[in-house]
Amino acid sequence: MSFELNSLLVSLHVTYIQNLGKNKDDLTYHLTAHLRMNAIYWGLTALCTMNHREALDRNEMIEYVMSCWDEETGGFGAHPDHDAHILSTLSAIQILITQDAIDILDIDRVAKFILSLQQPSGVFAGDSFGEVDTRFSYIAVNALSLLGRLGDLDVEKTVAYIVQCRNFDGGFGSRIGAESHASQAFVCCAALTILDRLDEVDAPTLSWWLAERQLPNGGLNGRPEKLEDVCYSFWVLASLSMLKKVHYIDSGKLTSFILSAQDPEGGGIADRPGDMPDVFHTHFGLAGLSILGYPGLVDLDPVYCMPAALIEKMGLRKGWQALERRAS
Amino acid sequence: MSHGVRRVLQNKEALEAKKLKDQSKIRDYITLTSDVLNRKKQNDWSSQAFQLTTELLQVNPEFYTIWNYRRRILLNGIIPQSTPEQIRDILAEELSMTMAALKVHPKVYWIWNHRGWCLDNVPSGPGTEQEGDPRGWEKGFWDRELFVVEKMLDADPRNFHAWSYRRIVLANMPIPKPLTAELAYTTRKIEANFSNFSAWHQRSKVLSSLWSKGELDSNKSKEEGASGILYHEYISNSSLKEFDLVHNAMYTDPYDQSVWIYHRWLIGSGDDKDILEREIEVIQSLLEEESGSKWCMESLVHYKRLLLSNHASTTDTSTLKRDCMGLLRRLLEVDPSRRARYEEIELEIARL
Ligand SMILES: [Zn+2]
């Protein structure tokens, strides 16, 4: 592989995503069934970012999503007969909204499932066994907002827990006392943004901490003195876009880093150059490039991590700022 | 989601051979999965079903539904038919089963979750309330758990899940470990590797609670180590004063950001002008030795700005501003990737 990866291989990535569902003679496909709903959301959103939404069959997708609904709890599992979890429930909602099929949903029951996961402390659990994480708080806020049910949420309690997870470095942890992590900065900033409480963020300190995620090779890490990874591109950039500081990152170097993690043979983007691609990093790499204004891509709403035009149409757009889309 | 898996170019024959080999594995996996999921649907709480979940989770520890099912079998089928001693042993068995899984998959949080659930369900014993020691078993389990977490952190001192789990263990131990012991643990971790930001982070939390509980006087422990009842314990665990520890780390590797971030926490909003000026001096002399250290310059700008904003009436503001501008110019050269931020700060200072 001697040629330089200096442009985005759109058609290869589209084919890569289309082929994901056809890998049934690959063991990994079966071992990752517990991530299927998320994977479909990542694939669909990546396609939307590349302006190829139609590359996956819409009806088949909606049918699959609905086959994962758990009548008993009101939430979605990751795959038929898998337990309902807040992670797959948000992905299901995002897919249905992106496919303009949300009417198919029993919104009351889904909202009730999500609200039932809030704990007395204000944080959300992922499922009935009660593991808590500020990630789940964001997911709940995002999902309820998309369903138009934020009014049913105890906002004060939700915000109070998130604020207690704020650390001296400006970042946020997954629970009270936990170390800051770029993905946690994203979920907490985005939850507070949706709830119009971004004033709870120590913006100068957090922007500084986020800017220091960039390494000499252009890639971003998730916390101090760790390795770079394509997926952090999105979490760091999305947080910075809510703080209106995306320009704190060297966009040229980060763009090159993401492009260098593409697989020039089979398509898809990996965590770092030379590694196996997967749909998760493909989606977050493209999402990062979209925020950086990469030419030809579609605007992504960094708060909801969905096509910006869609969020705007729903009247949910908040005051984030990405880099201007370059013409070439 | 795969991390750190290298892409290898395989020729057609190798790929075909792998596919063929996978076929029987896939068949077995699908058969086992549908068997377990069917039993789950039928509320099968038998020990046979339990055994099958062990098998499936050994192949795929990320299958959260199966962890849930396993716990339901324990709760509905196995625990109701067992004596407290048996329950204790069953849970101990769960912990060794998950330990084996953790060694292969240290970052799968479903496994950590399951351990936490087991610990929450340890029955009271060996004695009753009246006989005494009703929490003896629980204590044994949590103590062992702390030991396990420490082993995990020895293997990977930055394991995010292990640190997070450590805090859960510390918060749940029937006989809480003194905060000063945890402070000493972070000292050991930091001294083993100054670059361990996870340990610095934990230290900031421990010191904050010690200060807010009044067990350590914040000014004194920053300056002298410690005071009050815990003085001796603190001193024996850590002879270093807080700032000394930090200076030591700075001088050891001025290019590592962990210690600089922690130093910023120690200084805080910079209300104490003496400390601020003293620290500026320390960093300035380090910068003379390490003229290219971005972190020296970046921190100097930050602390000088604190002097400007908090102590303007008692400092020479025009010199401070000039210093900051000079440092920012050099930062633009040594750290051009973050030039936009430095230029913004220049504008802010110019406006003062
Ligand atoms: Zn990643």
Side-chain angles (χ1 to χ4, degrees), chain A residues 135 212 223 247 271 276, chain B residues 4-5 109 158 294 338 344:
Chain A
R135 251 185 339 143
E212 293 298 343
R223 43 195 183 119
H247 56 283
D271 59 344
M276 284 287 281
Chain B
V5 184
Y109 59 85
R158 300 282 321 262
K294 165 206 157 165
R338 275 165 280 265
E344 259 182 40

Side-chain angles (χ1 to χ4, degrees), chain B residues 259-294:
Chain B
V259 65
W260 295 99
I261 299 175
Y262 184 78
H263 188 257
R264 203 162 288 199
W265 171 70
L266 269 184
I267 298 281
S269 52
D271 297 335
D272 190 322
K273 185 168 173 252
D274 293 338
I275 292 185
L276 210 45
E277 284 176 333
R278 188 196 64 204
E279 291 306 301
I280 286 173
E281 215 166 293
V282 171
I283 300 169
Q284 219 128 27
S285 45
L286 177 57
L287 181 60
E288 276 160 33
E289 285 174 34
E290 297 279 347
S291 63
S293 168
K294 165 206 157 165

Side-chain angles (χ1 to χ4, degrees), chain B residues 50 57 67-68 70-71 74 91 94-95 97-98 109-120 165:
Chain B
F50 187 73
L57 289 167
W67 285 113
N68 288 349
R70 188 177 179 85
R71 287 188 282 266
L74 284 167
L91 293 174
E94 286 302 282
L95 292 177
M97 177 255 192
T98 47
Y109 59 85
W110 309 108
I111 308 178
W112 290 103
N113 282 349
H114 189 67
R115 294 185 75 86
W117 179 86
C118 292
L119 288 157
D120 284 338
Y165 191 67

Side-chain angles (χ1 to χ4, degrees), chain B residues 7 22 26 48 56 78 108 117 133 138-139 144 149 156 161 174 193 199 237 243 266 272 275-276 323:
Chain B
R7 194 168 72 230
D22 272 3
I26 293 173
Q48 201 185 357
L56 187 45
I78 296 176
V108 173
W117 179 86
D133 204 19
E138 219 187 313
K139 189 183 162 300
R144 226 167 308 136
V149 177
D156 175 6
H161 300 294
N193 180 5
N237 287 333
F243 271 111
L266 269 184
D272 190 322
I275 292 185
L276 210 45
D323 288 354

Side-chain angles (χ1 to χ4, degrees), chain A residues 130-149:
Chain A
E131 178 220 355
V132 303
D133 192 317
T134 45
R135 251 185 339 143
F136 303 145
S137 298
Y138 161 67
I139 288 173
V141 168
N142 183 342
L144 290 169
S145 165
L146 289 174
L147 295 177
R149 294 300 170 93

Side-chain angles (χ1 to χ4, degrees), chain A residues 77-88:
Chain A
H79 195 59
D81 295 333
H82 288 212
D83 283 352
H85 196 282
I86 200 166
L87 280 165
S88 31

Side-chain angles (χ1 to χ4, degrees), chain B residues 115-348:
Chain B
R115 294 185 75 86
W117 179 86
C118 292
L119 288 157
D120 284 338
N121 284 280
V122 175
S124 62
T128 59
E129 280 308 334
Q130 292 79 23
E131 295 157 3
D133 204 19
R135 301 189 79 183
W137 289 344
E138 219 187 313
K139 189 183 162 300
F141 270 79
W142 285 105
D143 284 350
R144 226 167 308 136
E145 202 60 3
L146 190 62
F147 177 77
V148 167
V149 177
E150 284 177 15
K151 284 275 163 252
M152 296 297 289
L153 287 174
D154 287 343
D156 175 6
R158 300 282 321 262
N159 184 331
F160 204 72
H161 300 294
W163 276 104
S164 178
Y165 191 67
R166 178 179 181 86
R167 282 179 278 271
I168 295 174
V169 173
L170 289 172
N172 283 285
M173 292 173 82
I175 300 171
K177 198 180 151 199
L179 281 170
T180 45
E182 186 60 7
L183 190 65
Y185 181 74
T186 65
T187 312
R188 280 206 304 283
K189 282 285 172 215
I190 290 166
E191 285 178 345
N193 180 5
F194 284 133
S195 182
N196 187 345
F197 184 75
S198 306
W200 288 109
H201 165 85
Q202 178 78 340
R203 188 173 183 85
S204 79
K205 296 292 175 192
V206 175
L207 278 176
S208 297
S209 358
L210 281 167
W211 292 338
S212 72
K213 289 195 166 95
E215 292 184 17
L216 281 174
D217 180 292
S218 88
N219 282 319
K220 277 197 180 152
S221 96
K222 280 184 190 177
E223 295 301 311
E224 296 165 8
S227 67
I229 40 162
L230 296 159
Y231 182 75
H232 295 289
E233 199 180 339
Y234 178 72
I235 286 297
S236 63
N237 287 333
S238 154
S239 59
L240 290 167
K241 306 167 196 166
E242 205 56 26
F243 271 111
D244 276 355
L245 177 71
V246 171
H247 295 159
N248 194 1
M250 281 177 182
Y251 272 80
T252 307
D253 186 0
Y255 295 89
D256 188 297
Q257 59 179 263
S258 316
V259 65
W260 295 99
I261 299 175
Y262 184 78
H263 188 257
R264 203 162 288 199
W265 171 70
L266 269 184
I267 298 281
S269 52
D271 297 335
D272 190 322
K273 185 168 173 252
D274 293 338
I275 292 185
L276 210 45
E277 284 176 333
R278 188 196 64 204
E279 291 306 301
I280 286 173
E281 215 166 293
V282 171
I283 300 169
Q284 219 128 27
S285 45
L286 177 57
L287 181 60
E288 276 160 33
E289 285 174 34
E290 297 279 347
S291 63
S293 168
K294 165 206 157 165
W295 283 100
C296 285
M297 294 186 255
E298 214 273 337
S299 304
L300 282 173
V301 171
H302 182 73
Y303 298 136
K304 287 183 189 228
R305 286 176 77 202
L306 287 181
L307 276 181
L308 278 169
S309 56
N310 296 347
H311 309 282
S313 58
T314 51
T315 47
D316 177 0
T317 55
S318 58
T319 308
L320 281 172
K321 281 194 214 173
R322 207 172 43 240
D323 288 354
C324 285
M325 292 304 204
L327 288 161
L328 286 162
R329 282 286 115 189
R330 284 171 64 195
L331 279 166
L332 286 169
E333 282 164 31
V334 301
D335 188 25
S337 280
R338 275 165 280 265
R339 71 175 305 124
R341 178 165 174 267
Y342 300 132
E343 284 167 349
E344 259 182 40
I345 299 174
E346 278 185 336
L347 285 176
E348 278 170 38

